Amino acid sequence: MTKKDTVLILGAAGQIGTDLVLRLREDLGGSQVIATDVRDQKGPIVEGGPFHVVDVMDGAAVAAIINKYNVTQVYHLAALLSATAEKNPMFAWKLNMEGLFNILDIAKANTAVKIFWPSSIAVFGPTTPRDHTPQNTIMEPSTVYGISKQAGERWCEYYFRKHKVDVRSIRYPGLISYKSAPGGGTTDYAVDIFHKALEAGTYECFLEKNTTLPMMYMPDALDATISLMHAAADKVKIRSSYNVAGMSFDPETISNEIRKHLPDFTITYKPDFRQAIAESWPASIDDSMAREHWGWKEKFNLATMTTDMLMNLKAQKVI
Ligand code: SER
């Protein structure tokens, strides 16, 4: 990424988009980062630079924005996540796949446009080795979201090989952040728990206490994303999607960590349909290829993430 890059973010109001827009506007300047979302928005992503309402399923509208601003990089973040997708499978498949094809086809016609597309730990399934899940392993996802992400990975690699599209991707673990709420994922509990701990002192968790999942704090996710986009093309040897890891924990462990700051905090467990989704995913991830190929290294662990989350959320809630 250079100062000259003009970046388009699709799905800018989502959990990753909100943070990424602000971070890239700091790096590149407000006018260089075009934020778009399917719905009109208020607040920082609209105030700090260009914002447009764009539906990723409308390929012509996406192409028009890319041409208007001479966009050189697209971060295509618009998708339905795991829990929401199970409630509306056909729409999730349509949105997650058509959105991706629209962007890949634009980049096929104009190979100066570099693409970032997020994949997920949801590409793995119940037959995948759960601990230190390798980059290349059995992938039989059992959720609609996971099926769409796995198919998406195959198409990304295909467009890279056949059409020279410079597409790059990360299999994000559950992401923890304070600037915006996650929407419709199975790992969302690890964000909700902080809000409820501060607001109510208690949290009813929709996963069982010993359900370990891979997680990452948003500043690390942004660093991973931006370093992958900065990497020289020949270092990006994997064009499906890279495993990346930050930390792994279960609800009981994170509640114990929160209790170090808020000693009266309590947690109860009432697992719902998301338990089965979580059980089909890895507990921890082997990300040695991302480390080797483009120098990935996380900064936050459970303790430092918890301290930072509570500090920032407290500051937000006072205002
Ligand atoms: N955080 C996502 C979800 O829970 C996984 O990619 O759906």
Side-chain angles (χ1 to χ4, degrees), residues 1-23:
M1 195 150 14
T2 67
K3 284 276 177 206
K4 286 199 197 87
D5 273 313
T6 302
V7 168
L8 172 65
I9 305 201
L10 300 161
Q15 190 195 7
I16 303 170
T18 304
D19 271 273
L20 189 64
V21 168
L22 300 177
R23 166 74 184 269

Side-chain angles (χ1 to χ4, degrees), residues 15 81-83 119-122 145 172-175 184-188 281:
Q15 190 195 7
L81 294 193
S82 59
S119 186
S120 161
I121 53 163
Y145 175 66
Y172 289 123
L175 297 180
T186 300
T187 56
D188 295 9
W281 289 352

Side-chain angles (χ1 to χ4, degrees), residues 63-239:
I65 293 268
I66 290 177
N67 290 336
K68 176 175 167 167
Y69 289 99
N70 288 320
V71 166
T72 52
Q73 290 191 9
V74 178
Y75 292 77
H76 169 37
L77 308 176
L80 281 202
L81 294 193
S82 59
T84 318
E86 290 308 300
K87 293 186 175 150
N88 202 346
M90 288 328 291
F91 176 68
W93 175 253
K94 195 171 157 61
L95 171 69
N96 293 4
M97 298 315 294
E98 264 179 38
L100 176 60
F101 278 122
N102 284 339
I103 314 307
L104 289 174
D105 282 328
I106 290 169
K108 175 182 159 187
N110 176 3
T111 49
V113 176
K114 198 193 271 189
I115 313 269
F116 178 83
W117 174 78
S119 186
S120 161
I121 53 163
V123 293
F124 301 115
T127 51
T128 302
R130 282 204 86 217
D131 295 314
H132 306 290
T133 301
Q135 174 70 40
N136 299 308
T137 185
I138 301 167
M139 293 164 86
E140 296 181 319
S142 55
T143 61
V144 176
Y145 175 66
I147 296 169
S148 75
K149 288 295 180 186
Q150 198 206 13
E153 286 192 7
R154 299 286 87 228
W155 280 109
C156 285
E157 191 187 283
Y158 184 88
Y159 270 68
F160 170 73
R161 264 192 297 113
K162 286 268 176 179
H163 305 304
K164 305 199 169 19
V165 170
D166 189 352
V167 55
R168 302 168 181 214
S169 176
I170 280 172
R171 291 172 182 153
Y172 289 123
L175 297 180
I176 301 165
S177 67
Y178 56 85
K179 287 196 180 134
S180 71
T186 300
T187 56
D188 295 9
Y189 92 84
V191 178
D192 298 343
I193 195 170
F194 285 103
H195 288 270
K196 295 288 182 334
L198 287 170
E199 286 159 9
T202 184
Y203 178 60
E204 184 179 270
C205 186
F206 57 76
L207 297 182
E208 294 276 17
K209 64 176 175 187
N210 55 1
T211 315
T212 303
L213 286 168
M215 299 279 181
M216 183 178 281
Y217 196 31
M218 187 60 84
D220 277 337
L222 298 181
D223 282 349
T225 307
I226 292 168
S227 355
L228 176 61
M229 288 299 269
H230 271 279
D234 64 336
K235 301 268 184 220
V236 187
K237 297 183 204 305
I238 293 171
R239 295 298 183 143

